[in-house]
Amino acid sequence: MERIRFDFNNMLSANVGKRHGVAKDDLEKAFAGAEKAFGHFQRLIADVHNRTSLNLEWVRLPFKSRVMIDQVQRLGDEIASRYENVISLGIGGSYLGIKAAQDALCSPYHNEFASLRGKRPRIYFEGNNLDPDTIGALLGELDPKKTFVIVISKSGETTETKSAFAVTKSWLKKGVGKRFGRHVFAITDLRAGALRREVSEEHAKDPLGFYSLPLAKGVGGRYSELNIGLIHLAVMGVSVRHLLGGAQAMAARCVSKDLFENPALMYAVLNNILYRKKGKTIAVLMPFSETLKSTAEWYSQLLAESLGKKYHRRILRTADGSEFWLRDRSRIANVGRTPVPSRGTSDLHSIHQNNVEGENNKTVTFIKVKKFRRDIKVPAGNGFLSGVSYSKLLSLAGEATEWSLSSESRPNCAITMPEISPYYWGGLIYFFEMATAFEGELLNVNAFDQPGVEGYKHYMYYKLRKPGVSRALHKEIQKHPLAKDKKFVL
Ligand code: PA5
């Protein structure tokens, strides 16, 4: 079977020069650090206690039992057979992976054309913003009797999801009556949070209300597509078994300590060298495929929340090898490459100008696809384009982009998927998750928390008078209010 390939020729000094590329001696110097980072991560994930307490259980998500996979697939088929529409509510890690999977693995224009979606429902994403226009328009148009709602929130407390679910629930209640809970699937923590409480209350009233799947313990939102995303895939008729199979195949490649055998480790090491030694602080991800655009958006969150950290990690280790990670407040890090999701060829007519001639502070990663699901040719009579297939044009555009960047000493690399299928997409996202985890090790930050996201949430909770907001937080916000001087507002 063909494999996903990682081509890093254009990250090396041989192709982009020593000043901007990774030279042999850069790589040799990085070997020891890479080995240490890899060894540490392998020890961690070999231990179930560390996996769950440090949010590393995602590494095991591809290895689900056949029975469980069949159950999910059957449940998905059942939901699909009963509803015309699905609304998926969630934000961040409870949204981006699902949207990426939808775009990559279901037909383009899925919602628009019945012939393309087969017997599967239309899908709408809400709760990933607080824009009243979109949710208002959607609920104004859909028929609640024909609609199923999947609500996903690990914490069960996120304002965006909570508000969207509250609005959707009252719309369902009005439209279908007291059995509205049978139109709902809730994915949330097994015990904690407001959503879990709602599930328990609803079950008490109607045992058939609120289908629910407990989230696997020890998996952070952005690493959870192979967990929270499965029911969505099953409803859409995508093979969960193939998706997990692809992730398993990638997992097998990521256990090698040989950099030249482990694509995720090599990706992390090269990007780390380019970031720390060559000033490449911006990470552009440019799939040459329209349907992988939202995969680039998913990766943006993965990279930004995992590596963008204020403090380094301080590791405390007990005699039995259990680890506890603290934010080492004595060592400010302020690290992390800045992700820029992009897409070829659209963005060749937009940010590519800056990538080629602007500040040389970026690495560009392409995702290329060898074989598309369909292909079309430009008809005869169109000059030099006559008879040329779209896939040929796209692949040539990719090659041309590599050339234009490399000839201006701009490091770039390519990940090639043999095709966009559940198997290879599963492998692709596992590759990025592993690479990000390795980069976290190399930067010595906790790649599995997101404390920076809390600030805005706390401020909103304070302003909305949410019960339980600490006095310390009240004091801090009062001490540093948002200062606005009218003379600086034109
Ligand atoms: O990666 C993460 O953990 C976050 O992006 C969360 O997914 C996001 O904040 C949504 O959280 P929740 O699923 O608890 O609603």
Side-chain angles (χ1 to χ4, degrees), residues 27 42 60 63 86 134 187 206 223 298 303-304 306 345 355:
L27 204 51
Q42 290 309 306
R60 301 293 311 159
F63 304 93
V86 166
T134 59
I187 303 179
D206 175 7
Y223 290 86
W298 165 82
L303 196 70
S306 302
T345 66
N355 292 350

Side-chain angles (χ1 to χ4, degrees), residues 82-271:
R82 286 206 257 138
Y83 296 93
E84 282 183 15
N85 316 301
V86 166
I87 306 180
S88 182
L89 302 176
I91 193 166
S94 297
Y95 159 61
L96 289 158
I98 298 176
K99 176 71 165 70
Q102 173 69 31
D103 291 351
L105 304 176
C106 298
S107 174
Y109 304 106
H110 172 99
N111 280 1
E112 285 83 351
F113 303 107
S115 55
L116 293 177
R117 65 175 178 275
K119 293 197 178 333
R120 302 288 158 177
R122 293 184 197 83
I123 177 121
Y124 301 93
F125 294 94
E126 269 302 333
N128 53 76
N129 206 330
L130 286 167
D131 186 333
D133 274 347
T134 59
I135 189 160
L138 183 67
L139 299 184
E141 293 304 316
L142 291 185
D143 177 352
K145 292 196 178 70
K146 297 179 180 166
T147 304
F148 191 74
V149 176
I150 303 178
V151 53
I152 310 161
S153 177
K154 181 180 181 226
S155 62
E157 298 289 346
T158 305
T159 304
E160 288 86 342
T161 316
K162 217 172 170 172
S163 326
F165 187 45
V167 170
T168 311
K169 227 171 29 186
S170 103
W171 170 82
L172 272 180
K173 266 187 204 164
K174 236 184 257 158
V176 296
K178 61 178 192 308
R179 294 270 157 88
F180 78 95
R182 297 184 183 187
H183 289 235
V184 175
F185 197 111
I187 303 179
T188 189
D189 188 85
L190 186 55
R191 287 188 190 83
L195 184 55
R196 176 52 60 193
R197 283 196 295 282
E198 270 190 80
V199 172
S200 310
E201 281 161 23
E202 195 50 39
H203 276 167
K205 282 189 243 155
D206 175 7
L208 297 180
F210 280 34
Y211 296 76
S212 174
L213 269 187
L215 279 167
K217 256 174 86 181
V219 182
R222 59 193 175 275
Y223 290 86
S224 67
E225 170 52 19
L226 302 182
N227 191 26
I228 57 152
L230 302 188
I231 193 68
H232 153 255
L233 292 167
V235 172
M236 293 299 145
V238 173
S239 165
V240 168
R241 187 163 64 84
H242 287 136
L243 183 101
L244 298 181
Q248 278 176 27
M250 182 53 76
R253 296 173 72 185
C254 296
V255 292
S256 172
K257 69 173 185 200
D258 180 347
L259 264 179
F260 284 86
E261 292 291 330
N262 185 334
L265 185 60
M266 182 61 100
Y267 185 83
V269 168
L270 292 170
N271 276 300

Side-chain angles (χ1 to χ4, degrees), residues 387-400:
V388 185
S389 67
Y390 259 61
S391 61
K392 167 110 198 269
L393 285 172
L394 192 61
S395 136
L396 189 57
E399 187 184 320

Side-chain angles (χ1 to χ4, degrees), residues 2 6 43 47 52 64 84 96 115 127 246 368 383 429 479 490:
E2 269 198 89
F6 169 46
R43 280 194 301 283
D47 177 89
T52 38
K64 295 207 189 313
E84 282 183 15
L96 289 158
S115 55
K368 296 186 175 180
I429 64 162
K479 211 162 94 196
L490 303 185

Side-chain angles (χ1 to χ4, degrees), residues 19-20 278-284 340 351-364 405 408-411:
R19 178 145 176 242
H20 295 289
K278 319 272 169 168
K280 309 303 175 220
T281 57
I282 295 179
V284 179
V340 176
I351 67 163
H352 183 62
Q353 167 64 31
N354 183 284
N355 292 350
V356 171
E357 292 194 353
E359 203 177 335
N360 195 345
N361 58 353
K362 307 160 193 76
T363 52
V364 182
L405 287 166
E408 288 292 330
S409 302
R410 312 285 162 140

